[in-house]
Amino acid sequence: ASAASLLAAARAGDEAEGAGPVLIDGSDNFVTKFAVADLAVAAGLRHVIAGVSRYGGQVFVGAPGAACYRCLFEGPPDDDAAPSCAEGGVLGAVVGAVGGLAARAALALADGDLSAAGTVTVLADLRRSSELRVVRFAPRPGCPACTAAAEPPVPALEERP
């Protein structure tokens, strides 16, 4: 799907007070993850970026005004630095666990709960522990995505005509 069709679909979402559309990424491609995150920041949309590698995974939650994906990860890794799921392998139970965390985060965002915005939830190794680590981080000064989104400002979806 093109960025324009993703954005149009997101804007067609629930218009209830406090609620709104959420972009969700669960791709196995870092370039796609960064493209979705950049689109969400530029358009002022709430978003969830989920990923799995072998026995662990993470869920990033973003919303306007919070730290973005590029605040945490400056850019995609080199192709040979991070294997795809097909190359590195993944444990099916981890995909289910991370998918459930991503769905819960997306539902909360869609319902207007922004308390997890600017966090990443990490499941380090499901073989050893099911303990989750939630890390909240601040916007990175000079972040190119946040800077680009700030000029010109993108009004919140609820403020758009």
Side-chain angles (χ1 to χ4, degrees):
S2 72
S5 64
L6 284 173
L7 188 55
R11 287 186 175 152
D14 187 1
E15 298 285 333
E17 185 175 328
V22 178
L23 289 181
I24 305 169
D25 172 78
S27 67
D28 182 22
N29 180 298
F30 284 106
V31 172
T32 301
K33 289 183 182 309
F34 278 88
V36 169
D38 290 346
L39 173 68
V41 170
L45 295 171
R46 302 159 195 185
H47 54 289
V48 175
I49 310 290
V52 173
S53 181
R54 299 187 49 91
Y55 308 112
Q58 61 189 19
V59 176
F60 169 83
V61 180
C68 77
Y69 200 63
R70 285 191 186 270
C71 290
L72 181 59
F73 306 108
E74 292 186 23
D78 294 333
D79 289 338
D80 58 347
S84 69
C85 291
E87 296 165 338
V90 295
L91 182 63
V94 176
V95 175
V98 170
L101 291 170
R104 190 231 168 266
L107 289 169
L109 287 175
D111 197 36
D113 179 359
L114 305 180
S115 62
T119 66
V120 63
T121 300
V122 179
L123 176 61
D125 186 337
L126 191 59
R127 296 173 305 163
R128 295 180 178 24
S129 171
S130 61
E131 185 176 328
L132 300 175
R133 185 172 149 213
V134 179
V135 180
R136 180 172 301 280
F137 54 98
R140 182 171 49 89
C143 170
C146 292
T147 302
E151 297 173 7
V154 178
L157 188 62
E158 291 81 13
E159 298 171 7
R160 293 183 185 157

